Amino acid sequence: MPSTSPTPPWNVHRLPRADGRVFLITGGNAGIGYFAAEQLSATGATVVLGSRDPGKARAAGDSIRARVAGARVRAVRLDLADLSSLRTAVESLGVAHLDAVVHNAGVALDDPPRTETVHGHELMFGTNHLGHFALTHWLMPLLSAAPAARVVTMGSFAAKSERLDLDDLQSRADYRPKRTYGRSKLAQMYFGVELDRRLRAAGSTVRSVVVHPGGALDSLTPSRPPVQVRNTGARLRAAPAALLVQGKDAGAWPAVRAVLDPAVDGGQLWGPRVFGLRGLPRREPLWPQLADSGVAARLWDASCDLTGTAPGPDRRQAPPHGA
């Protein structure tokens, strides 16, 4: 009887080839999104950077090409705060299929006042959650055309201690920026889990995975001028923190594994190995609040109402409100 060789352990520095595949990364011009793009470009895949700023996207693409020989990287203008622009953005991809999308882009506001999108949605909730929710709707035909596509949603460790207020999703009654940010990321994570439930129920081959980067600091991140610049002083000041957290290059590892590793399955949560804050990517138990399918279903219905879309295979919905 022939022996079977064991599957080699996942190596973040020696990724499997992905020639012929196409990956879209929202917010791929900076931070974790940039490093996910750089790492995925080394696999031979075509990587598309979704960005609001064409200049920053060009700089990110140039940086990746300077470090990855033969990198196939390009950009598409993508503004998640403007729901009415998303269909056009998806059409501009110009591809027959999409093997993965990494929902990475996000807005974080540190101080009041409360800000709204052009559609009247609170900016962080509207961009981080509703924008990705609607984008997934428009991407679904391309994802369904791939053999086994992945929707990878980048959550946040900041969401772990939060709970959604389904009666105040837009933080109109009580707006506190850090909490609103955490809840917007929690909403994204609920969406990622619920999306996988619905895809499976529909018999789709697309899978949805939720990841988070742990603690990822700019001061621990390698320099990639002009995309990311870290001076010696910042590096030295941040050195003690490296015992607990990591740079954004390592923060990208769970997302990259979720895109590439066939052992990763839909409905799972992946994050850093050490206390969920740093280290190699590993599967972790789904957080208790994310297992609440009742909350997820109510959030889904509210998101459909707010965006005029419903992500799923073979759906045809009205355009987003305000389109």
Side-chain angles (χ1 to χ4, degrees), residues 101-103 150-157 159 184-197 207-214 251 253-259 264-272 281-287 290-291:
V101 56
V102 179
H103 289 329
R150 303 276 178 94
V151 177
V152 179
T153 297
M154 180 68 73
S156 171
F157 200 76
S184 75
K185 298 301 288 185
L186 180 60
Q188 275 191 272
M189 297 172 82
Y190 268 116
F191 164 59
V193 174
E194 181 66 12
L195 176 62
D196 196 72
R197 289 193 192 104
R207 290 291 176 261
S208 175
V209 186
V210 179
V211 301
H212 73 88
W253 290 344
V256 170
R257 183 166 187 176
V259 167
V264 176
D265 201 3
Q268 295 178 348
L269 173 64
W270 287 70
R282 63 148 189 181
R283 182 184 176 185
E284 61 182 78
L286 206 63
W287 299 345
L290 294 176

Side-chain angles (χ1 to χ4, degrees), residues 5 17 22 62 74 92 108 119 152 157 180 201 204 217 223 233 246 323:
S5 58
R17 298 296 299 177
V22 183
D62 289 344
R74 59 187 181 85
S92 72
H119 303 291
V152 179
F157 200 76
T180 296
S204 173
L217 303 182
S223 287
Q246 58 193 356

Side-chain angles (χ1 to χ4, degrees), residues 20-110:
R21 296 166 72 183
V22 183
F23 305 138
L24 169 64
I25 303 175
T26 71
N29 61 280
I32 290 169
Y34 168 84
F35 283 97
E38 184 181 284
Q39 292 163 30
L40 289 170
S41 292
T43 68
T46 295
V47 177
V48 183
L49 310 178
S51 173
R52 290 175 299 175
D53 188 322
K56 290 182 179 178
R58 283 193 298 272
D62 289 344
S63 177
I64 291 171
R65 282 185 284 268
R67 288 167 174 80
V68 180
R72 298 177 176 90
V73 58
R74 59 187 181 85
V76 63
R77 191 178 186 283
L78 182 64
D79 184 356
L80 292 165
D82 183 1
L83 301 180
S84 61
S85 71
L86 298 181
R87 183 177 187 175
T88 300
V90 170
E91 290 171 348
S92 72
L93 288 172
V95 297
H97 71 277
L98 185 66
D99 295 278
V101 56
V102 179
H103 289 329
N104 162 79
V107 174
L109 302 180
D110 293 327

Side-chain angles (χ1 to χ4, degrees), residues 116-147:
E116 293 187 348
T117 70
V118 295
H119 303 291
H121 303 141
E122 189 281 319
L123 183 62
M124 289 184 279
F125 180 75
T127 303
N128 302 352
H129 171 59
L130 295 179
H132 284 116
F133 185 91
L135 177 64
T136 305
H137 165 79
W138 298 115
L139 287 174
M140 195 54 67
L142 295 177
L143 292 163
S144 298

